[in-house]
Amino acid sequence: MTDHPTIPASLRGRGRELYETLTDALEFTPAEHATLVEACRTATLLDDLQETMDGAPFTVLGSQRQPVANPLLAELRSHRLALVRLLAALGLPDLEEDDGGGPVYRSVTSVRAQRAAKARWSGHTKRTDLRREGGR
């Protein structure tokens, strides 16, 4: 593929792995790259939050000394949703197998163009179908 920007220094763990995997396999427009970086930062933050939560109790004392859910649980949930949305916004292609057994990657732009073409032509009837129905 083409040269890709330097890996942001703040990425670690799964965020760095995600960035390296995707930039090695796909080409991104500048806007898509910005979304990818945010997704990878979110993955890094999720790793940090999960590491903190791994040693923490599920309940803590609230303002009235009552047991409440640990606020980290809500943060984990909201960041997981954010990661899903960021990755969905990228419209990443599914991997396809080539004849040699290895994965084939297509650019995100190519995948979007294919989806647009399918949507554009999905309501059209094929000429052979019209002939069977007696039309022209």
Side-chain angles (χ1 to χ4, degrees):
M1 292 276 154
T2 59
D3 292 332
H4 50 78
T6 306
I7 298 171
S10 61
L11 299 182
R12 299 178 315 283
R14 289 186 306 159
R16 184 179 185 91
E17 182 180 321
L18 180 64
Y19 184 89
E20 289 173 345
T21 300
L22 292 178
T23 55
D24 285 346
L26 301 167
E27 295 177 9
F28 295 93
T29 65
E32 291 168 341
H33 183 264
T35 302
L36 173 64
V37 169
E38 290 308 313
C40 295
R41 285 180 179 152
T42 302
T44 297
L45 180 57
L46 274 167
D47 283 347
D48 294 343
L49 287 170
Q50 187 62 56
E51 184 178 322
T52 302
M53 189 60 214
D54 286 345
F58 284 99
T59 58
V60 294
L61 291 179
S63 63
Q64 302 297 314
R65 311 287 297 157
Q66 79 281 16
V68 296
N70 190 323
L72 287 176
L73 293 171
E75 287 300 312
L76 279 165
R77 183 179 60 242
S78 67
H79 282 81
R80 285 179 179 136
L81 286 172
L83 180 59
V84 167
R85 288 182 179 141
L86 286 165
L87 292 174
L90 286 172
L92 298 172
D94 293 330
L95 292 180
E96 300 173 356
E97 296 293 323
D98 68 1
D99 295 336
V104 175
Y105 299 97
R106 294 179 292 155
S107 72
V108 174
T109 305
S110 167
V111 171
R112 286 190 181 139
Q114 183 180 22
R115 286 181 190 156
K118 283 181 182 177
R120 185 179 320 116
W121 293 101
S122 66
H124 293 282
T125 306
K126 293 181 181 176
R127 188 171 291 222
T128 55
D129 294 338
L130 288 173
R131 285 188 197 131
R132 273 188 245 137
E133 296 172 8
R136 290 188 150 191

